[in-house]
Amino acid sequence: LRRGDRAVVPAFVAAEMRGPDRPRALVLRRPALRTVVYDLLAVPEPQTGDLDVAAPRWVSDEIDRIVALLAAGVGADEVDRLAEHGIRYVVVADSRRRGDSLVEALDGQRGLRRLSARDGDALWQVVTVATRAQAVAPPAPVQEGGVPLRTAVSIPTTGGDPRTPT
């Protein structure tokens, strides 16, 4: 039995994880060749009893699929699905090797922004990708008493201030 005091996430991520939004971090490790295991951290450091409270099986199965697709570098909607589970950071532990296929797969993912690499760990932030405007087919004109009615179209945004130009 050894006690490890090595921080899993950088200090700024740990501080954010303790904040009111309480984002999660997905930590990926490779204990063997062609094997990826993960830990989903809701707080920056493990606490007594964390293993006693498991997520529902369907959530674990979904996270398993997302991690498998991320590691394979498929590049579909995995990052958006991470965000749906409250995951804001992805860490690859022991990523010191050049030409690391897992690091290259994550670097190529739409919606992951590389923040740093330290002590052999690499860190990405989950950045959901959205557009300010979306082209849609015009709705069929609705008329009331012979006068066309105006219709409203919702425009997805990035979550920032809509008055701020991009």
Side-chain angles (χ1 to χ4, degrees):
L1 181 64
R2 291 185 307 162
R3 177 178 180 209
D5 57 355
R6 182 173 167 255
V8 177
V9 295
F12 73 94
V13 173
E16 189 174 346
M17 290 175 75
R18 288 186 191 100
D21 289 346
R22 299 191 46 94
R24 295 176 178 169
L26 180 69
V27 180
L28 305 174
R29 291 185 174 84
R30 290 159 300 204
L33 185 65
R34 301 182 61 140
T35 303
V36 175
V37 296
Y38 70 90
D39 291 309
L40 186 56
L41 303 179
V43 291
E45 54 275 325
Q47 297 179 350
T48 303
D50 281 351
L51 296 176
D52 299 333
V53 182
R57 183 72 186 160
W58 67 270
V59 173
S60 296
D61 290 344
E62 185 172 348
I63 301 278
D64 290 349
R65 282 190 294 278
I66 294 169
V67 170
L69 292 170
L70 270 175
V74 173
D77 65 344
E78 297 83 33
V79 176
D80 294 333
R81 291 169 57 197
L82 287 176
E84 290 171 5
H85 288 282
I87 299 169
R88 195 173 298 163
Y89 297 98
V90 176
V91 177
V92 174
D94 301 325
S95 62
R96 296 172 200 239
R97 300 183 305 242
R98 285 202 178 273
D100 186 326
S101 61
L102 180 58
V103 170
E104 289 175 359
L106 294 176
D107 279 339
Q109 286 287 336
R110 173 190 63 84
L112 284 182
R113 179 175 54 201
R114 183 82 161 294
L115 293 180
S116 67
R118 67 167 181 82
D119 297 331
D121 295 345
L123 173 70
W124 291 263
Q125 182 178 22
V126 173
V127 180
T128 55
V129 179
T131 58
R132 287 223 168 235
Q134 181 178 12
V136 294
V142 179
Q143 295 189 0
E144 185 175 302
V147 179
L149 296 177
R150 293 182 182 214
T151 57
V153 178
S154 65
I155 299 174
T157 64
T158 58
D161 185 352
R163 298 169 293 193
T164 305
T166 54

